[in-house]
Amino acid sequence: MKVLVIGATGNIGRVAASALEEQGHEVVRASRSSDPSVDLADTASIAALFASLDALDAVVVAAGEVPFKPVTELTREDYADAFAVKTLGQLDVVRHAFEHLRDGGSVTLTSGVLSREPIATASAAAAANGAIESFVTTAATEAPRGIRLNVVSPDVLENSPHHHATFPGHRPVSDAEVARAFVRAVDGVGTGRTISV
């Protein structure tokens, strides 16, 4: 299969792309700094990426930034920024993927543990992640041409030790665990699922 991985230079995207290559898939890696490039905050950039590629079998999105601040300090602009990139950017990818994927293809988005477990300063991230998961639950029922739609929701990553102190008491997840979740989403048969890691 030909799989587009958006955010392939990040910690999650890199793991997902490598795992899918190990399964024998042809992986196209895209990010803001790669060729092909894409910026999830720019809908024209997303459209241009899909227009530049031949027919795809699957799309994985592992990108999106959100602000971390105490809830009393978050502004409307902070929430808008979180939704513009993490949520709306991924949803925009889904819209374009539905037009470009082969019949029976799949789209896998990425949320995170903050939709189900609170930590300090993570309200904007929790809202963005929760929106993605709720969207997938419903949108999967309407996806055209047998296309499957899922989301992977990892806990803090072992490969990101600089974040561990922010997640007290959490068990960091390994690259292998994250990899299995993305392989399951792409190669499995489930749809409308949040795969928690």
Side-chain angles (χ1 to χ4, degrees):
M1 291 196 304
K2 185 174 182 179
V3 184
L4 169 63
V5 177
I6 295 174
T9 58
N11 287 339
I12 295 174
R14 176 183 47 77
V15 169
S18 295
L20 292 166
E21 285 175 338
E22 289 172 8
Q23 295 298 309
H25 301 311
E26 175 190 354
V27 174
V28 178
R29 297 175 183 240
S31 68
R32 286 181 297 191
S33 60
S34 67
D35 183 18
S37 66
V38 65
D39 181 351
L40 288 188
D42 180 357
T43 188
S45 171
I46 296 168
L49 172 64
F50 278 96
S52 73
L53 298 172
D54 295 330
L56 297 164
D57 297 292
V59 176
V60 170
V61 187
E65 297 175 3
V66 292
F68 283 81
K69 294 181 182 179
V71 69
T72 54
E73 296 176 15
L74 285 165
T75 65
R76 181 181 179 90
E77 290 74 25
D78 289 326
Y79 289 116
D81 288 346
F83 276 93
V85 179
K86 178 84 180 204
T87 307
L88 294 180
Q90 292 198 70
L91 272 52
D92 210 14
V93 169
V94 172
R95 186 169 61 87
H96 288 286
F98 281 168
E99 297 174 359
H100 289 85
L101 281 171
R102 293 187 175 107
D103 292 357
S106 74
V107 183
T108 305
L109 306 182
T110 302
S111 61
V113 69
L114 300 177
S115 63
R116 60 189 187 276
E117 294 289 343
I119 65 165
T121 74
S123 294
N129 287 344
I132 292 165
E133 294 174 9
S134 295
F135 167 81
V136 164
T137 298
T138 298
T141 68
E142 300 180 56
R145 300 181 290 104
I147 294 171
R148 296 180 303 103
L149 178 61
N150 294 293
V151 56
V152 171
S153 178
D155 207 322
V156 65
L157 308 175
E158 277 185 359
N159 70 24
S160 303
H162 53 289
H163 291 304
H164 291 177
T166 309
F167 292 80
H170 285 241
R171 181 185 63 81
V173 295
S174 67
D175 287 358
E177 291 172 290
V178 173
R180 280 193 295 271
F182 282 99
V183 168
R184 177 179 165 191
V186 173
D187 289 341
V189 298
T191 191
R193 304 287 306 279
T194 294
I195 302 170
S196 299
V197 184

